[in-house]
Amino acid sequence: MCIRDRNNIKYLALGSRNTKSILAYYVSEKHIVDTCSSKMEEELTSLTAEHGIMKPSDTIIGNANSFIDSRGYLFFAITDRKYEERHCRTLLNSLRTEFYEKYPLAESGEVKFVDSSFVSDLALKMNDPSKFDKVAEANKKIGAIKEKIQTELKEVVLNQQQMNELDNKANELNVNAKGFEKTSKEFERMMYWRNCKLCLIIALIVIAILAYILVPIIIDQVRKSENSNQNQNTNTNRTVTQFLSLIHI
């Protein structure tokens, strides 16, 4: 008996309908032993099975298939639901062939002991249908190619999405650059007029200061000039008067 974590072949066994016993079996998962064995025992005691006709049925574990040969030996398998029926038929026929090759006395009498190792080896060998079925092998290759193409298509779509995102970001940067350029020009114009206003204010302040300093000085000079002219006129009048007085004399 061999136990594996996961397998397309869940359970493979052979038993004797005459003794109602399981002679050898393989199971992929330990916790399903009891369920599979119960199903096997039902087939051993079933009265509806016909010699040489494969009997399919369904279980909670997977698909069950079995057939009884003319000597009363039952060959039974529970497989994954993706494991095709024709592969299961090949599996059970291979189990029957190897059983009679290893135990030739079974053709003429009842076998009391069967080593389960050859059942396990057969289950492991036929777990992958592509290893013994050309159609399954071709389907497996096609599936691999299809998966590769799908992966490449996903990468192409992903790259296209990334390119679109880059284009969108480039457009956003372009729009932002134009907006920044416009804002810069507006700011530059605003600063120019602000500087003009500042220069005008400074000029007015300088003019006001000069006026504050120079106007009193100019006024004072004008007043002094007027006083000087008045003095000169007074002296002139006095001189003329004196001159006229002398003439009268």
Side-chain angles (χ1 to χ4, degrees):
M1 180 180 65
C2 178
I3 298 174
R4 299 186 68 192
D5 292 334
R6 184 169 181 80
N7 207 310
N8 285 328
I9 300 174
K10 307 293 185 182
Y11 183 78
L12 181 63
L14 66 92
S16 173
R17 185 77 176 276
N18 299 325
T19 61
K20 304 291 188 297
S21 61
I22 300 173
L23 300 178
Y25 72 93
Y26 156 87
V27 65
S28 63
E29 299 174 49
K30 190 174 182 179
H31 67 277
I32 64 173
V33 172
D34 294 339
T35 304
C36 294
S37 298
S38 297
K39 184 64 177 177
M40 175 69 173
E41 290 170 356
E42 287 179 11
E43 295 296 326
L44 287 172
T45 57
S46 174
L47 300 177
T48 59
E50 298 183 27
H51 292 170
I53 298 177
M54 192 167 77
K55 178 185 175 184
S57 60
D58 189 32
T59 68
I60 59 173
I61 300 171
N63 293 331
N65 286 278
S66 64
F67 77 86
I68 298 174
D69 67 3
S70 59
R71 297 179 181 87
Y73 290 105
L74 174 68
F75 304 92
F76 178 79
I78 298 177
T79 60
D80 188 86
R81 288 180 172 81
K82 293 181 179 180
Y83 199 82
E84 297 182 20
E85 185 175 330
R86 60 191 180 90
H87 297 148
C88 192
R89 187 184 300 275
T90 303
L91 172 66
L92 295 178
N93 286 331
S94 298
L95 178 61
R96 180 177 183 276
T97 300
E98 290 196 18
F99 170 62
Y100 284 117
E101 286 178 355
K102 290 183 177 295
Y103 301 94
L105 294 177
E107 296 185 6
S108 58
E110 194 69 34
V111 177
K112 295 182 180 180
F113 172 78
V114 177
D115 186 4
S116 293
S117 61
F118 89 93
V119 179
S120 299
D121 292 341
L122 180 64
L124 297 176
K125 183 175 69 174
M126 302 191 70
N127 177 62
D128 185 359
S130 64
K131 292 182 179 179
F132 62 88
D133 185 81
K134 297 297 181 182
V135 175
E137 183 180 4
N139 289 335
K140 184 177 180 180
K141 290 180 179 179
I142 292 171
I145 294 172
K146 183 179 179 182
E147 184 177 356
K148 184 178 180 181
I149 292 173
Q150 289 176 344
T151 302
E152 291 177 353
L153 287 175
K154 287 180 181 179
E155 291 178 356
V156 170
V157 172
L158 180 61
N159 291 334
Q160 185 64 36
Q161 290 177 349
Q162 291 176 347
M163 289 295 294
N164 292 335
E165 290 177 359
L166 290 176
D167 288 340
N168 292 334
K169 288 181 180 179
N171 292 332
E172 289 178 1
L173 290 174
N174 190 23
V175 172
N176 292 335
K178 289 181 179 179
F180 178 76
E181 183 179 0
K182 182 179 179 181
T183 304
S184 298
K185 289 182 179 180
E186 291 177 354
F187 181 75
E188 184 178 357
R189 191 179 298 110
M190 183 182 67
M191 291 302 297
Y192 171 77
W193 287 112
R194 181 176 293 179
N195 290 335
C196 290
K197 290 179 182 178
L198 183 61
C199 291
L200 181 61
I201 292 171
I202 292 173
L204 292 174
I205 292 172
V206 171
I207 291 171
I209 292 172
L210 291 175
Y212 180 77
I213 296 173
L214 294 176
V215 167
I217 295 173
I218 293 170
I219 293 173
D220 186 58
Q221 290 295 327
V222 170
R223 286 178 179 174
K224 287 180 179 180
S225 177
E226 289 177 352
N227 291 332
S228 176
N229 290 333
Q230 288 177 359
N231 291 332
Q232 286 180 359
N233 290 333
T234 302
N235 291 330
T236 301
N237 291 332
R238 187 177 300 169
T239 302
V240 171
T241 302
Q242 289 176 357
F243 179 73
L244 292 174
S245 297
L246 287 175
I247 292 174
H248 288 295
I249 297 172

